[in-house]
Amino acid sequence: PGYVHVDVKYLPQMHDESNRRYLFVAIDRATRWVFVQPKANKTAASAQAFLKALHKACAIRISKVLTDNGKEFTDRLFTSKEREPSGNHEFDRLCQELGIEHRLTQPRTPRTNGMVERFNGRIADVLKTHRFNGREDLEQTLLRYVALYNQQLPQSALGSKTPMQAMKNWYQTHPHLFHKRLYDRPGCDT
């Protein structure tokens, strides 16, 4: 736990919006716990705000974050010919401040970040199978789906446990990996 994959998903523009929006998505590699947040744009400031919210919401100590090479996450492909990140990007500086190692995928290899890409596919399925009354309805549906996913949907990769059950199991055996107690978290206690 603590190795988190992060990506951005485009959201459809609703009839009551003037611009399309974006869904920032994070998923923990070991527990499959998911955190999402809709944003008006996909700037470095939005990525930074998302990481702050993720850090606050996640009970696990985040040690590593894996992102693609988008401008919101890195300056790797845009500042130098060596194609190395400078470490001065806003997202990198926040990672350093929070004690998180920021790792990047190789360019044009979405499979490397496949766990979050797969969850984005689940979000795409929700978007295809629902009709939304507007922006607020879309946001509420996505947040309800994430709560359902984390607390009620067993995952075969977790031995038919939900992400919250997996997180609680990790907490029982490795409490030092957490900075919050899980006793008051939703989900089944075993």
Side-chain angles (χ1 to χ4, degrees):
Y3 194 150
V4 178
H5 294 229
V6 176
D7 197 18
V8 180
K9 169 92 176 125
Y10 292 94
L11 292 176
Q13 185 174 335
M14 297 286 101
H15 64 84
D16 59 348
E17 296 178 299
S18 57
N19 294 314
R20 77 179 320 165
R21 290 176 318 115
Y22 305 87
L23 186 69
F24 280 74
V25 180
I27 185 167
D28 179 67
R29 185 181 273 192
T31 64
R32 304 300 200 266
W33 179 81
V34 173
F35 179 76
V36 300
Q37 203 172 49
K39 297 285 184 187
N41 54 48
K42 61 176 209 164
T43 62
S46 291
Q48 201 176 21
F50 175 73
L51 182 58
K52 285 178 185 176
L54 170 64
H55 187 262
K56 185 177 180 181
C58 187
I60 301 166
R61 290 184 200 281
I62 301 171
S63 58
K64 295 175 185 73
V65 170
L66 180 66
T67 67
D68 61 19
N69 294 278
K71 288 183 183 180
E72 63 274 19
F73 299 121
T74 185
D75 57 6
R76 176 183 190 175
L77 302 176
F78 310 104
T79 59
S80 66
K81 292 183 179 171
E82 293 117 31
R83 296 183 176 254
E84 290 298 319
S86 69
N88 293 325
H89 190 273
E90 295 171 50
F91 193 81
D92 286 324
R93 287 197 308 262
L94 180 58
C95 284
Q96 290 167 6
E97 183 183 314
L98 297 174
I100 299 170
E101 179 186 344
H102 181 202
R103 293 186 176 182
L104 297 169
T105 63
Q106 289 298 316
R108 294 174 292 285
T109 56
R111 290 181 312 276
T112 308
N113 213 2
M115 198 172 292
V116 75
E117 296 289 349
R118 173 65 186 108
F119 190 80
N120 283 348
R122 288 175 176 253
I123 294 292
D125 291 344
V126 170
L127 295 174
K128 284 182 211 168
T129 59
H130 288 75
R131 184 165 177 83
F132 304 101
N133 295 325
R135 173 183 164 221
E136 188 69 27
D137 185 30
L138 171 66
E139 278 186 20
Q140 292 304 314
T141 299
L142 292 176
L143 294 176
R144 278 193 309 270
Y145 177 76
V146 169
L148 177 72
Y149 176 89
N150 282 333
Q151 299 167 20
Q152 302 294 324
L153 296 178
Q155 305 296 311
S156 60
L158 299 173
S160 296
K161 291 182 173 50
T162 67
M164 281 309 299
Q165 288 170 327
M167 193 180 281
K168 287 178 180 185
N169 288 347
W170 275 100
Y171 184 77
Q172 288 175 349
T173 58
H174 298 85
H176 63 281
L177 297 175
F178 294 76
H179 64 92
K180 292 181 188 175
R181 292 194 59 194
L182 294 173
Y183 64 89
D184 62 342
R185 300 282 182 184
C188 299
D189 286 322
T190 55

